[in-house]
């Protein structure tokens, strides 16, 4: 069976972009067809200025929203990244395979680092190395497919490169993964700033629909979406990004095709209204389920505890294999040390012989 892995970082409240670009695909498709793991990648939330209490709160909330979106712990594994040490263990090995040039070419790093410097802040080293940790998340599970939004495609490509390079240098160790993107809404744009992605923590708050926004708030944000100067409703991502975004949101929520749907609209107002109602209809059951889950926090904790245990069991052998392959000595328990002393003595003799040879030269 195919192995699927994906994650979401607890850096802000989850958005409609997260849902349409990733979570919905995980719940509706991936968990039913593959052996899947979905992870709240909390270590990734430490790459930018953060408040510890907020990260804890958002991690719990993200896990609850994953379940509210329809992830079923009987079908897939839901867990928190920092509960499984193998991610950080493997990340270091992959840092020894990646190059600094490769890291500096990552678009997200360039954008976020530039923004941080503009604000006069400093850039954490972990922001630069973050895609390596993401590669470790993926490779530790022998992942075949990584369902993500379009903004993560470059990072998954890096994971592919690192897996291939590691295998070539040190022997076959990792499955080489690939990204799978949703057909529609792979990049939901900010409603107020349709040139930029709807991100959890960007500067255009009124243009972000959060999964827990009240229906009235969703309607208001959708009705105030920035459109374009034309009049007819046409699907043209480059020329009419605001309208194209609304068509994509509508299509993604109702299962249609954005270009075909444009023909049904004579005005921007009617399109906004239908798109708003479609979003409300998608979010309502999710919010109801979220309320139920919040009433039973013990359940979410049990899911995360069991999930981490299962995930550890899967990642451990893969990461141990990588440690051996790259040249690290296996940990020596007393019994194993006795059993291995022959090998160790041999190795010592061999290196003494080599040293003598070198001295003689
Ligand atoms: P993040 O919020 O960056 O942790 O993203 C979690 C998942 O949601 C990733 O697969 C992203 O690609 C996806 N995602 C985030 N924002 C958007 C968006 N605006 N449109 C589509 N997918 C998104
Ligand atoms: N970097 C991803 C994002 O910002 C989150 C992430 C971390 C992830 N590790 C992952 C996604 C592994 C898929 C697989 O959205």
């Amino acid at each position: 069976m195919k192995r699927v892995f994906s994650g979401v970082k607890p850096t802000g409240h989850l958005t409609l972009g997260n849902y349409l670009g990733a979570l919905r695909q995980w719940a509706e498709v991936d968990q039913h067809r593959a052996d899947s793991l979905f992870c709240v990648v909390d270590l990734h939330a430490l790459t930018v200025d953060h408040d510890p209490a907020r990260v804890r709160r958002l991690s719990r909330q993200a896990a609850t929203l994953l379940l509210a979106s329809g992830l079923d712990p009987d079908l897939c594994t839901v867990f928190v990244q920092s509960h499984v040490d193998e991610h950080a263990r493997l990340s270091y090995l992959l840092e020894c395979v990646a190059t600094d040039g490769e890291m500096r070419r990552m678009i997200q790093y360039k954008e976020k680092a530039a923004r941080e410097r503009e604000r006069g802040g400093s850039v954490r080293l972990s922001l630069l190395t973050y895609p390596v940790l993401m590669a470790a998340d993926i490779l530790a599970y022998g992942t075949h497919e990584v369902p993500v939004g379009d903004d993560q495609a470059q990072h998954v490509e890096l994971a592919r490169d690192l897996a291939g390079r590691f295998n070539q240098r040190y022997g076959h160790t990792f499955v080489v993964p690939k990204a799978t993107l949703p057909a529609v809404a792979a990049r939901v744009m900010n409603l107020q700033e349709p040139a930029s992605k709807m991100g959890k923590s960007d500067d255009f708050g009124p243009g972000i629909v959060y999964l827990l926004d009240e229906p009235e708030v969703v309607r208001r944000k959708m009705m105030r979406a920035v459109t374009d100067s034309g009049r007819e409703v046409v699907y043209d991502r480059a020329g009419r990004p605001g309208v194209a975004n609304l068509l994509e949101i509508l299509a993604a929520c109702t299962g249609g095709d954005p270009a075909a749907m444009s023909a049904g609209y004579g005005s921007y107002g009617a399109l906004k209204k239908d798109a708003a109602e479609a979003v409300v209809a998608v979010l309502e059951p999710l919010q109801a389920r979220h309320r139920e889950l919040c009433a039973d926090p013990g359940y979410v904790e049990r899911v995360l505890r069991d999930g981490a245990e299962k995930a550890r069991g899967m990642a451990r052998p893969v990461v141990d294999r990588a440690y051996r392959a790259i040249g690290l000595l296996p940990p020596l328990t007393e019994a194993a040390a006795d059993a291995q002393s022959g090998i160790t003595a041999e190795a010592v003799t061999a290196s003494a012989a080599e040293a003598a040879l070198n001295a003689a030269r």
Side-chain angles (χ1 to χ4, degrees):
M1 196 174 350
K2 284 245 158 72
R3 175 70 55 84
V4 161
F5 182 99
S6 200
V8 59
K9 31 178 216 297
T11 42
H13 299 286
L14 300 200
T15 72
L16 183 65
N18 290 130
Y19 184 74
L20 296 179
L23 270 58
R24 190 174 63 161
Q25 168 94 2
W26 306 350
E28 289 182 0
V29 184
D30 297 316
Q31 68 171 348
H32 299 286
R33 69 175 178 98
D35 176 9
S36 344
L37 297 109
F38 301 106
C39 186
V40 176
V41 286
D42 54 351
L43 297 173
H44 289 278
L46 312 184
T47 55
V48 287
D49 200 17
H50 79 284
D51 166 26
R54 184 163 187 264
V55 170
R56 269 192 292 274
R57 210 167 46 242
L58 289 173
S59 296
R60 263 197 212 100
Q61 192 196 62
T64 311
L65 279 169
L66 292 187
L67 299 174
S69 306
L71 292 186
D72 175 352
D74 288 333
L75 298 176
C76 65
T77 307
V78 180
F79 71 107
V80 174
Q81 183 189 30
S82 64
H83 294 172
V84 180
D85 293 342
E86 314 325 302
H87 297 243
R89 279 181 75 214
L90 180 55
S91 187
Y92 179 73
L93 292 204
L94 296 178
E95 280 185 22
C96 301
V97 175
T99 67
D100 77 319
E102 207 163 33
M103 292 301 105
R104 288 180 205 286
R105 279 198 295 276
M106 293 288 125
I107 297 164
Q108 214 169 58
Y109 168 74
K110 287 200 279 195
E111 287 176 358
K112 286 192 180 176
R115 222 177 305 146
E116 197 54 54
R117 290 195 184 100
E118 255 168 46
R119 289 189 188 130
S122 55
V123 177
R124 294 184 183 186
L125 179 59
S126 55
L127 188 70
L128 180 64
T129 56
Y130 154 114
V132 178
L133 177 59
M134 176 164 163
D137 300 338
I138 297 167
L139 301 186
Y141 296 92
T143 303
H144 300 97
E145 290 180 11
V146 189
V148 282
D150 170 71
D151 62 318
Q152 296 302 316
Q154 193 188 29
H155 292 161
V156 179
E157 203 51 43
L158 176 82
R160 277 178 74 78
D161 290 347
L162 297 182
R165 200 176 304 158
F166 190 104
N167 288 346
Q168 200 187 12
R169 282 190 197 158
Y170 306 113
H172 185 79
T173 308
F174 297 119
V175 173
V176 180
K178 69 168 203 276
T180 52
L181 308 187
V184 184
R187 182 180 286 257
V188 177
M189 308 309 274
N190 186 293
L191 299 172
Q192 291 298 315
E193 193 63 36
S196 44
K197 187 191 79 163
M198 184 187 284
K200 296 189 204 90
S201 42
D202 61 26
D203 302 330
F204 311 104
I208 307 171
V209 174
Y210 292 104
L211 296 185
L212 295 179
D213 277 347
E214 299 280 337
E216 272 323 299
V217 175
V218 173
R219 291 193 180 96
R220 195 172 60 236
K221 287 177 175 173
M222 295 291 294
M223 294 308 290
R224 288 186 187 161
V226 167
T227 40
D228 314 291
S229 54
R231 276 171 166 262
E232 331 81 272
V233 177
V234 286
Y235 181 61
D236 172 6
R237 274 201 87 144
R240 308 268 181 94
V243 171
N245 193 35
L246 289 169
L247 282 167
E248 287 200 12
I249 292 173
L250 174 67
C253 291
T254 58
D257 169 72
M261 292 186 100
S262 67
Y265 290 95
S267 75
Y268 290 166
L271 169 63
K272 285 183 182 177
K273 198 149 179 292
D274 281 6
E277 291 313 318
V279 173
V280 168
V282 162
L283 295 187
E284 264 176 348
L286 186 155
Q287 295 181 354
R289 176 97 181 107
H290 181 260
R291 277 191 295 275
E292 281 171 27
L293 289 163
C294 285
D296 186 3
Y299 171 74
V300 178
E301 283 186 11
R302 273 196 307 282
V303 168
L304 295 180
R305 196 189 49 216
D306 295 351
E309 200 177 310
K310 248 170 83 187
R312 247 178 253 128
M314 292 189 228
R316 187 83 205 222
V318 179
V319 177
D320 281 350
R321 203 175 339 125
Y323 267 60
R324 299 297 89 77
I326 207 169
L328 300 171
L329 200 59
L332 298 172
T333 60
E334 258 175 61
D338 284 348
Q340 290 230 341
S341 59
I343 303 172
T344 317
E346 246 173 53
V348 170
T349 320
S351 66
E354 201 179 327
L357 207 72
N358 282 338
R361 277 195 192 122

